[in-house]
Structure formats: structure tokens, C-alpha cells
Amino acid sequence: MDAQSFASSGRGGNRTQRLNMTQGIFITGTDTGVGKTIVACALLRAYVAQGLRAIGMKPVAAGIAVGTACNDDVAALDAAGNVAAPDSARNPYAFVPAIAPHLAAREAGVAPELARICAAYGELAAHADRIVVEGAGGALVPLDRHLDMLDVARALGLPVLLVVGLRLGCLNHALLSALAIRARGLALAGWAANLIDPAMARLDANLATLDEHLPAPRIATFRWGRPDAPEWSAAAAALDVR
């Protein structure tokens, strides 16, 4: 479906029904560079394999390389899904410098608005069965003086999946992130372990500690060097991943 077809196919009496049928999830992480896009793309590919119409969304993205049309994460999400949509819906706020989103927005003279993000999500929901929304950075990365990434999840009314980058320090980062998510009244649907440090000491013991202390199940484990081969757990069935 091209962008023009996308725009026209949402018209008609079935649009409200489509919105009600669409399911979404918000992907956040314990930090930047912990594998949110890897997990988001794996979810999208799993949905596509089930015959579902799935699309990725990154409400705010910073960092567009010279000669490219969009942020690398946005491009990866687009490739993993099977629904075409305009950039304005998949990535409402795009900034060139690879810096913190609120700084990039300030330099561009832009004030990110939740209403615009929600409207873009609604456009996608009119054409998809599943929407995987990827945040930028960690859970509490600011968008401006008042808003942060969890405000986006709350505005969209989505459950949250936490990506934990397994490396020294991840226990504190994961537990603090989970506390922040639940303090906002958001549902923590699960967490995914991404083994980003192949030399991490006591890896199994750290995984066991997270399994014990995080208030949600581990839905997948991503091994070093195998980002396209997630080990889905039984808990992944709650996300319609089989």
C-alpha cells in the first residue's frame, strides 16, 4: 500500500471499528543503545509471520545521517512491518542531530505535542492490526520541560515492554525503570533481555535476579550476535507472539 492508498483507505464507516481492533505496545529501554529497535523489529516480524498487518512507529527520532531520508531506527521499523505509511504518521517528529530529543527539538524551534503524536497513531491504527511504538532513549528521557517518553505511552494508552541491556549496572537501571513505569499508572507487559555485553560476568545470575525482582515476565532473550533469533518465552503469548 502506497502513501496515497494509505490516506484514502482509512475513509468510510469501518474506521472506528479498525481503531478498536488495533492493538499496540510501547517499547522503552533502560538506556539508549540497549536494543529497543531490535526488539521492536522482532515483534513486528512475528506479527507479520502470523498474517497480521503490523507497523512500527517512532514518535520522536533524533539523528538523520547525511544522504538518508530518515532516522535508522525508523527505517528498520518500516522494513520489519508490512504496512506502508507516510513518514509524518510513522515518525511525527524527526530531528537531524543525534542528540537528546528535547535538545534537538529546542534547537529546531519545535515543541513536541502529544496531540500530534496521538493523531499520527490514529492514522496508523486505521490500517493496522498491531502497532509497535518505539520510544527514544530510556523511559524518562525528556521531550521538553514538562513531557517525557512515558507521557507518550500514557497518552496513547499503551502497555509498556521494557528492554534491558544486559551489562554491568543493568539491575539498578531495570528496577528504576520498572518503578517509573508503574508510578505513571502504566502496565508493564513484560521485559526483554538483550545481551549487549558478551563478556558480562555472572550473566545467568543477573538474569535470575531480574526474573525475581522485575514485576513482569521476561518475554524474550536476545543473545549476542543473534538479534534476528529471539528466544521467545511462554509469556510472549500475551503479546500474541508465537
Side-chain angles (χ1 to χ4, degrees), residues 142-167:
L143 294 178
D144 61 19
R145 293 181 60 188
H146 306 289
L147 300 175
D148 58 40
M149 283 297 153
L150 290 185
D151 287 315
V152 175
R154 186 166 59 176
L156 296 175
L158 298 180
V160 178
L161 178 65
L162 177 65
V163 180
V164 180
L166 269 290
R167 61 187 175 200

Side-chain angles (χ1 to χ4, degrees), residues 52-69:
L52 297 169
R53 287 172 287 189
I55 191 167
M57 177 186 187
K58 195 171 178 81
V60 181
I64 300 176
V66 176
T68 60

Side-chain angles (χ1 to χ4, degrees), residues 1 5 18 20 22 29 78 116 143 145 152 190 197 216:
M1 181 186 295
S5 299
R18 293 282 314 128
N20 292 337
T22 300
D78 186 40
R116 178 174 169 182
L143 294 178
R145 293 181 60 188
V152 175
D197 179 4

Side-chain angles (χ1 to χ4, degrees), residues 120-133:
Y121 182 90
E123 286 186 55
L124 301 179
H127 307 276
D129 304 304
R130 299 291 182 272
I131 304 179
V132 178
V133 182

Side-chain angles (χ1 to χ4, degrees), residues 5-103:
S5 299
F6 176 92
S8 62
S9 63
R11 298 170 186 159
N14 68 340
R15 187 175 191 275
T16 299
Q17 181 181 2
R18 293 282 314 128
L19 286 170
N20 292 337
M21 292 173 60
T22 300
Q23 295 181 20
I25 191 161
F26 187 86
I27 311 291
T28 191
T30 50
D31 199 353
T32 190
V34 297
K36 294 187 303 299
T37 305
I38 288 173
V39 175
C41 288
L43 280 174
L44 286 167
R45 286 192 293 268
Y47 293 145
V48 170
Q50 294 177 47
L52 297 169
R53 287 172 287 189
I55 191 167
M57 177 186 187
K58 195 171 178 81
V60 181
I64 300 176
V66 176
T68 60
C70 64
N71 171 277
D72 288 344
D73 295 347
V74 175
L77 293 172
D78 186 40
N82 62 354
V83 176
D87 290 344
S88 60
R90 294 186 299 108
N91 177 208
Y93 291 100
F95 304 107
V96 174
I99 57 178
H102 72 294
L103 298 179

Side-chain angles (χ1 to χ4, degrees), residues 212-234:
E212 179 181 2
H213 289 276
L214 282 173
R218 178 170 20 139
I219 62 104
T221 303
F222 292 75
R223 301 288 174 180
W224 173 258
R226 301 181 61 195
D228 295 329
E231 299 167 9
W232 300 108
S233 74

